[in-house]
Amino acid sequence: MDKSSPSNVHRTHDKFYLEIPASIEPKDSFKSSADLLEKLMGPSLAGREVLDAGCAVGHFPHYLATRFPEATVEGLEYLPQLVSKGKELFPDVKIRQGSIFDEDSANNGRFDAITMLGVLQIFDDITPIISNLAKWLKHPGGVLLVHGLFNPFDFDVFTRYRKAGEGLAGELENGWNIVSQRTFADVCKTAGAQSVNFHEFKISVDIAPNEEDPVRS
């Protein structure tokens, strides 16, 4: 969790990944992110080393490893219980415990590409995250692909919520911040990015509301 958040702000939502089987259909975000990697780095990613940061139990790195068998794909996840579940579900993918806030969680200059899907919006301060990811990339030519929520207007939006009925002192959940494109680009360029580009994501299915998980759905 973002160490700068108030003590009553927590991120418990990721536990739902423990209930998702290995055999689910790949998400549209998986496919579009892999399409973009292929466009940027070649059709097979042969010989490339790819890290998926914040991989949960490893569905996306597993998809990448299956789609690009000539590449070396790893996952990095902070929560130990998700790492353990990932090793159980996807023994063919190296998933290790580490933090995107800890520079020592990966070797500097190692990876040709780093992906991070649905993670950045959890945190209020994205600067140390982008700084570490940039250090882990090969230079020049490393690719950082971040899938998330980005505001085209020059405002960074910070979101908290809690379930009604828990009182004003109830714990707040985070995870749906919308950082501005301007802030993201500025942080990336400060970290050494030669260029920053945004690509619109359009999902192909209509997700029905889920009463058990209304915020995510």
Side-chain angles (χ1 to χ4, degrees):
M1 194 188 80
D2 183 358
K3 298 176 182 178
S4 68
S5 297
S7 59
N8 67 329
V9 178
H10 298 274
R11 172 72 176 184
T12 62
H13 202 86
D14 292 329
K15 293 179 181 178
F16 89 97
Y17 287 108
L18 295 171
E19 309 300 325
I20 300 178
S23 58
I24 63 166
E25 177 70 18
K27 298 178 182 179
D28 279 11
S29 59
F30 291 5
K31 298 175 184 177
S32 66
S33 296
D35 288 346
L36 188 53
L37 277 182
E38 189 173 39
K39 179 179 179 181
L40 294 170
M41 309 191 75
S44 69
L45 271 65
R48 304 285 195 171
E49 293 194 65
V50 182
L51 175 71
D52 182 44
C55 69
V57 297
H59 285 94
F60 185 53
H62 171 72
Y63 172 75
L64 288 178
T66 302
R67 178 163 166 174
F68 305 114
E70 296 183 54
T72 300
V73 182
E74 296 184 8
L76 180 71
E77 171 54 44
Y78 177 71
L79 296 176
Q81 60 267 45
L82 296 184
V83 175
S84 296
K85 186 67 173 180
K87 291 180 178 180
E88 174 188 327
L89 292 177
F90 306 112
D92 57 322
V93 178
K94 182 178 180 180
I95 301 175
R96 51 198 171 86
Q97 198 274 334
S99 171
I100 52 179
F101 284 98
D102 182 2
E103 182 182 343
D104 294 331
S105 289
N107 294 331
N108 288 349
R110 176 185 169 188
F111 294 99
D112 297 283
I114 297 177
T115 59
M116 188 167 64
L117 279 61
V119 175
L120 194 69
Q121 61 257 27
I122 297 173
F123 305 102
D124 292 351
D125 185 2
I126 69 171
T127 299
I129 299 172
I130 299 301
S131 175
N132 284 335
L133 298 181
K135 290 174 183 175
W136 299 341
L137 282 172
K138 289 181 179 178
H139 294 280
V143 172
L144 172 61
L145 192 157
V146 178
H147 180 94
L149 306 174
F150 296 97
N151 190 0
F153 300 99
D154 290 347
F155 293 93
D156 301 320
V157 181
F158 301 95
T159 304
R160 308 285 187 267
Y161 76 90
R162 65 172 164 241
K163 190 174 182 180
E166 296 182 353
L168 296 180
E171 291 185 349
L172 300 175
E173 189 89 6
N174 63 351
W176 286 266
N177 290 340
I178 309 176
V179 66
S180 66
Q181 292 182 2
R182 178 175 180 176
T183 292
F184 180 75
D186 286 347
V187 171
C188 287
K189 290 175 182 177
T190 299
Q194 294 180 340
S195 64
V196 180
N197 301 289
F198 295 91
H199 303 264
E200 185 177 1
F201 170 68
K202 294 183 179 180
I203 194 167
S204 66
V205 297
D206 185 18
I207 301 177
N210 181 351
E211 292 184 1
E212 298 296 323
D213 192 358
V215 174
R216 185 177 179 83
S217 65

